[in-house]
Amino acid sequence: MSDSDLNPQPLPPQQQPQYQQPYQGAPAARGYNTMAIVAFILAFFVNIVGIILGFVALSQIKKTGEQGRGLAIAAVIIGFAEIVIGIIFTIAIVAIIAANPSTYTY
């Protein structure tokens, strides 16, 4: 037998595996809630849809923390205001027509 079999060279020390934290990337930019933007735009043209989407957007913003709460609130307020103005306008037109039945002939 040779000396190399009796006294083997010591193995280099094993290093513990280094675990790296998974790459998380930059924090996601919290942009505006898309439904809040759509609700704000539709509040001017289709009041009911703007109001409904405004309430849905408020719910989503509460859960996700996105921006756009002001847009959603504005959509709801504008939608309701336009409905109220439309009702008042309709009542005024009906009252004017009812007050002057002789000027309108069929």
Side-chain angles (χ1 to χ4, degrees), residues 11-25:
L11 294 174
Q14 291 185 352
Q15 294 180 352
Q16 294 290 334
Q18 303 244 340
Y19 295 105
Q20 295 180 351
Q21 292 184 355
Y23 178 72
Q24 295 178 4

Side-chain angles (χ1 to χ4, degrees), residues 11 31-32 47-48 51 54 66 82 90 95-96:
L11 294 174
Y32 282 91
N47 307 352
I48 302 297
I51 292 170
E66 291 177 303
E82 286 187 5
T90 303
I96 291 171

Side-chain angles (χ1 to χ4, degrees), residues 47 77-91:
N47 307 352
I77 291 172
I78 290 169
F80 277 127
E82 286 187 5
I83 288 175
V84 169
I85 290 170
I87 291 171
I88 291 171
F89 184 74
T90 303
I91 291 171

Side-chain angles (χ1 to χ4, degrees), residues 50-98:
I51 292 170
I52 292 170
L53 290 179
F55 280 121
V56 173
L58 283 172
S59 174
Q60 287 181 352
I61 290 168
K62 190 175 186 179
K63 292 177 185 175
T64 63
E66 291 177 303
Q67 294 178 343
R69 185 172 186 269
L71 287 173
I73 291 172
V76 171
I77 291 172
I78 290 169
F80 277 127
E82 286 187 5
I83 288 175
V84 169
I85 290 170
I87 291 171
I88 291 171
F89 184 74
T90 303
I91 291 171
I93 295 296
V94 169
I96 291 171
I97 292 172

